[in-house]
């Protein structure tokens, strides 16, 4: 069993969840790893041919469309494991709040 010390919870932050490009057959290996990690509470270690169980880990992830990169997350593989929410860009530039011109 892997995880934080007993009685603690590890929060793992994943930035730009939408960045992995699909391979030839449409799979996205990093997202498939996360699907297995979340759905099965662990992962398969391909080097030692063993299952690694993980406990007390919470994942927080973001994805954006900045730079013209489309959100490319197959619904059937990952979105069922995440609570999704969206925020619109603010109408005022941050410099307005800082008093800059």
């Amino acid at each position: 069993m892997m995880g934080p010390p007993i009685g603690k919870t590890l929060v793992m932050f994943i930035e730009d969840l939408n960045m992995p490009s699909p391979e030839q057959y449409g799979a996205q290996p990093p997202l498939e790893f996360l699907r297995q990690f979340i759905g099965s509470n662990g992962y398969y270690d391909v080097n030692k041919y063993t299952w690694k169980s993980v406990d007390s880990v919470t994942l927080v992830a973001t994805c954006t469309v900045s730079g013209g990169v489309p959100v490319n997350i197959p619904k059937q593989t990952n979105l069922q494991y995440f609570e999704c929410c969206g925020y619109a860009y603010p109408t005022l530039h941050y410099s307005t709040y800082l008093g800059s011109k």
Side-chain angles (χ1 to χ4, degrees):
M1 178 69 69
M2 297 174 61
I6 295 174
K8 302 286 184 175
T9 299
L10 173 68
V11 177
M12 190 181 310
F13 179 74
I14 302 167
E15 187 176 14
D16 293 334
L17 189 66
N18 61 311
M19 292 302 287
S21 298
E23 62 180 19
Q24 180 181 359
Y25 300 104
Q28 295 168 285
L31 299 184
E32 292 299 327
F33 173 79
L34 287 176
R35 182 197 56 76
Q36 183 182 55
F37 184 85
I38 296 167
S40 302
N41 293 325
Y43 63 95
Y44 187 73
D45 185 341
V46 296
N47 294 324
K48 296 181 181 178
Y49 304 109
T50 58
W51 180 256
K52 304 283 187 171
S53 294
V54 180
D55 190 32
S56 300
V57 176
T58 300
L59 296 179
V60 176
T62 64
C63 64
T64 64
V65 293
S66 63
V69 177
V71 175
N72 192 11
I73 302 172
K75 184 176 183 178
Q76 68 275 14
T77 58
N78 287 299
L79 290 183
Q80 63 187 338
Y81 297 111
F82 289 95
E83 182 67 35
C84 298
C85 59
Y87 296 98
Y89 289 107
T91 56
L92 298 174
H93 192 269
Y94 71 91
S95 63
T96 304
Y97 299 107
L98 299 176
S100 303
K101 293 185 181 184

